Amino acid sequence: MKRKLTIFKIGGRVLEDEQALGAFLKAFSAWPELKLLVHGGGKKATQIADQLGFTPRMIEGRRITDEPALEVALMVYGGLYNKKIVALLQGLGVNAVGLSGADAGLILAQKRPAQTIDFGLVGDVVKIDSLRVHWFLETDLTPVFCALTHDGRGQMLNTNADTIATQLAISMSAVFPTELIFCFEKPGVLAQAQDESSVIPQLNAALYERYRQQKVITDGMIPKLDNAFDALRKGVQKVRITHFNQLKKGTHITLE
Amino acid sequence: MKRKLTIFKIGGRVLEDEQALGAFLKAFSAWPELKLLVHGGGKKATQIADQLGFTPRMIEGRRITDEPALEVALMVYGGLYNKKIVALLQGLGVNAVGLSGADAGLILAQKRPAQTIDFGLVGDVVKIDSLRVHWFLETDLTPVFCALTHDGRGQMLNTNADTIATQLAISMSAVFPTELIFCFEKPGVLAQAQDESSVIPQLNAALYERYRQQKVITDGMIPKLDNAFDALRKGVQKVRITHFNQLKKGTHITLE
């Protein structure tokens, strides 16, 4: 039987709450199939930057990754959170290995070209070494990716964690049937933003379009869902959006 | 022909000087044999801790690794320096992979038992997975270790970088003929502390003992040399102490 791979993505809220992180990692460690984890950063990076006296540069409301901001990302995503998660997983019997996109040359990116805005040291994914990831998985390692990539010429780059999870899922779907699960602090995509019982059990592309026009789905959920549909269109078998405490529930994203 | 492994250790001074680090990494990348790198942290950790308002706890002049100090170590050693080095090596064509002792469960440690002083979250190395390190090397990866370990129960620990390099060399010498090279800011062990032309070309155990009694060799060099002789006694083929810009020179440490 061909093995399956599940890619989990967790964000800032889970990372900032020790109890939530512990509960998620316990469920993750019990997940029976091949798995890997992608984690974001959250507010800790902003907090550390503040304490270090770096003022985040913003242009038109968008954050710019300048050199000090990248250093904070290296410290918080690549160091603090990544190593903490790896140690906790090791304690749960999972042979985790913490990785950035630079490690083993796994995720090559290019600095986003400056158009109307120069986002600074931000990378768009160019190429993933899926064979190397496969080889890690097949030798019983569980990769834990932080949201950092490199340009292959010596420069680390900041890359959105949802994007990394999506691109990894697309790339790995050539090797394994792959499921992508975005875990966050809500039980799924909600039909009414304030009502957690209004989880949409299945969301297809047509319904998404309608909800988007009706402004039922707004803000941060839009790039996440765009990533989700992109993944499905490019070969990922299943995509789900769910609460980090309910890994088997949530909203199933489907093309049709 | 059996392949050889060279383990390089670099410290804070190299890391803090971008030009020096670049020059070292260029020479390291050109090193023709199997190799791996262990790096320390240096003053950046103290500086970041200061800026974050953490006052390092000291007991009897010894630094204590409390929880905030460990967080800074995770950020600076595990994140900032480790990922920067990996990206630079990738740019030089070396397929580097950044690792702490927790990653892939490579270096298991135990918290140093509190005796007269409780050093806090400091780990003494218990076990190294030399087969896994071997497997990384044999698949063309170049491990880059930061000075962090874990206790296998979820806790990261701070471990001296010289000690990690020494223990790795001892462990790997069961797999490959292994050479250990401590790189620092002086051209070797000096017969006169202030005279850089006074490099001792070869230092054996008897001479070390004499120099130590005569206080020719003092301070920070003593634990480094104790590590060096420990390595030789436990199977490491060669040990050298040299300047980070002169990888083929320096002081050869020998038992006899």
Side-chain angles (χ1 to χ4, degrees):
Chain A
M1 196 187 73
K2 198 168 179 188
R3 299 174 85 181
K4 287 167 60 183
L5 171 66
T6 308
I7 295 182
F8 292 89
K9 187 261 164 177
I10 54 170
R13 292 278 181 92
V14 194
L15 292 167
E16 280 153 17
D17 176 342
E18 229 165 85
Q19 221 170 346
L21 181 61
F24 167 79
L25 291 177
K26 203 168 166 186
F28 175 81
S29 71
W31 195 262
E33 292 153 14
L34 292 179
K35 57 195 172 244
L36 68 79
L37 180 59
V38 179
H39 66 86
K43 289 178 199 150
K44 184 88 175 183
T46 318
Q47 183 194 319
I48 297 277
D50 276 355
Q51 285 178 284
L52 294 176
F54 301 148
T55 313
R57 278 181 58 213
M58 310 284 282
I59 299 180
E60 296 178 18
R62 303 286 296 264
R63 179 188 298 266
I64 308 304
T65 304
D66 55 10
E67 185 65 36
L70 183 74
E71 290 210 344
V72 171
L74 294 179
M75 291 197 286
V76 177
Y77 310 162
L80 186 63
Y81 282 132
N82 195 260
K83 299 311 158 197
K84 275 201 175 177
I85 291 171
V86 167
L88 289 169
L89 284 174
Q90 289 285 345
L92 290 162
V94 174
N95 201 356
V97 59
L99 299 162
S100 74
D103 295 300
L106 291 169
I107 309 177
L108 186 70
Q110 65 181 4
K111 184 181 175 303
R112 186 170 301 164
Q115 291 177 326
T116 48
I117 300 179
D118 182 354
F119 289 102
L121 300 167
V122 168
D124 292 320
V125 175
V126 172
K127 194 166 169 286
I128 291 178
D129 187 349
S130 53
L131 291 182
R132 180 70 77 169
V133 179
H134 177 202
W135 170 86
F136 277 122
L137 290 164
E138 287 291 3
T139 56
D140 290 324
L141 291 178
T142 296
V144 176
F145 282 91
C146 61
L148 295 165
T149 57
H150 76 137
D151 71 355
R153 291 176 302 175
Q155 180 64 55
M156 293 296 297
L157 295 166
N158 210 344
T159 298
N160 177 277
D162 280 359
T163 305
I164 287 187
T166 302
Q167 295 299 323
L168 270 169
I170 291 169
S171 179
M172 295 313 296
S173 68
V175 185
F176 301 106
T178 298
E179 180 169 10
L180 172 60
I181 305 182
F182 292 105
C183 305
F184 72 145
E185 65 281 3
K186 293 193 173 168
V189 184
L190 303 178
Q192 284 164 292
Q194 303 311 320
D195 180 2
E196 301 221 338
S197 70
S198 71
V199 175
I200 302 165
Q202 192 187 340
L203 181 66
N204 66 23
L207 195 59
Y208 171 47
E209 203 43 55
R210 190 166 346 137
Y211 280 152
R212 208 173 145 167
Q213 282 169 11
Q214 295 171 350
K215 306 216 183 297
V216 168
I217 293 172
T218 57
D219 300 333
M221 191 48 82
I222 291 173
K224 207 180 276 294
L225 283 167
D226 287 344
N227 269 316
F229 285 108
D230 188 38
L232 289 170
R233 287 194 187 97
K234 292 177 177 160
V236 176
Q237 202 172 47
K238 290 183 187 175
V239 180
R240 205 140 43 76
I241 298 183
T242 189
H243 193 281
F244 53 78
N245 266 346
Q246 303 181 333
L247 302 189
K248 293 182 178 167
K249 297 185 179 175
T251 300
H252 289 265
I253 314 298
T254 56
L255 289 178
E256 288 173 10
Chain B
M1 197 186 75
K2 200 170 178 188
R3 300 175 84 182
K4 286 167 58 184
L5 171 65
T6 307
I7 296 182
F8 292 89
K9 187 263 166 177
I10 54 169
R13 293 277 181 94
V14 196
L15 292 167
E16 280 153 17
D17 177 342
E18 230 164 86
Q19 222 170 344
L21 181 62
F24 168 79
L25 292 178
K26 204 168 166 187
F28 175 82
S29 72
W31 196 262
E33 292 154 13
L34 293 179
K35 56 193 173 249
L36 68 79
L37 180 60
V38 179
H39 66 87
K43 289 178 197 149
K44 184 87 175 183
T46 318
Q47 183 195 320
I48 297 277
D50 276 355
Q51 285 178 284
L52 294 176
F54 299 149
T55 312
R57 279 181 58 213
M58 310 284 282
I59 299 179
E60 297 178 17
R62 303 286 296 263
R63 179 188 296 267
I64 308 305
T65 304
D66 54 11
E67 184 66 35
L70 182 75
E71 291 209 344
V72 172
L74 294 179
M75 291 197 285
V76 177
Y77 310 161
L80 186 61
Y81 283 132
N82 195 260
K83 298 312 158 198
K84 275 201 176 178
I85 291 170
V86 167
L88 289 170
L89 285 174
Q90 289 284 344
L92 291 163
V94 175
N95 201 356
V97 59
L99 298 162
S100 74
D103 294 300
L106 291 170
I107 309 177
L108 187 69
Q110 64 181 3
K111 185 182 174 302
R112 185 169 302 164
Q115 291 177 325
T116 47
I117 301 179
D118 182 353
F119 289 101
L121 300 169
V122 167
D124 293 319
V125 175
V126 173
K127 193 166 170 285
I128 291 178
D129 186 350
S130 53
L131 290 182
R132 180 69 77 168
V133 178
H134 177 201
W135 170 86
F136 278 122
L137 290 165
E138 287 289 2
T139 57
D140 291 323
L141 291 178
T142 296
V144 176
F145 282 91
C146 61
L148 294 165
T149 57
H150 76 136
D151 71 355
R153 290 176 303 176
Q155 179 66 55
M156 292 296 297
L157 296 166
N158 209 346
T159 298
N160 178 276
D162 280 358
T163 305
I164 287 186
T166 302
Q167 295 299 322
L168 269 169
I170 292 169
S171 178
M172 293 314 295
S173 69
V175 185
F176 300 106
T178 298
E179 179 169 9
L180 173 60
I181 304 182
F182 292 104
C183 305
F184 72 145
E185 65 281 4
K186 294 193 173 168
V189 184
L190 303 179
Q192 285 166 290
Q194 301 312 319
D195 180 2
E196 301 222 338
S197 70
S198 71
V199 175
I200 302 164
Q202 191 187 340
L203 182 66
N204 65 23
L207 196 59
Y208 172 46
E209 202 42 56
R210 189 164 350 134
Y211 280 153
R212 208 173 145 166
Q213 281 170 11
Q214 296 171 347
K215 305 216 185 295
V216 168
I217 293 171
T218 56
D219 300 331
M221 192 49 80
I222 290 172
K224 207 179 276 293
L225 283 167
D226 286 344
N227 270 316
F229 286 107
D230 189 37
L232 289 169
R233 287 192 187 97
K234 291 178 178 159
V236 175
Q237 203 172 46
K238 290 183 187 174
V239 180
R240 205 140 42 76
I241 298 185
T242 189
H243 192 280
F244 52 78
N245 267 345
Q246 303 180 332
L247 301 188
K248 291 181 179 169
K249 297 186 178 176
T251 301
H252 288 265
I253 315 297
T254 56
L255 288 178
E256 288 173 9

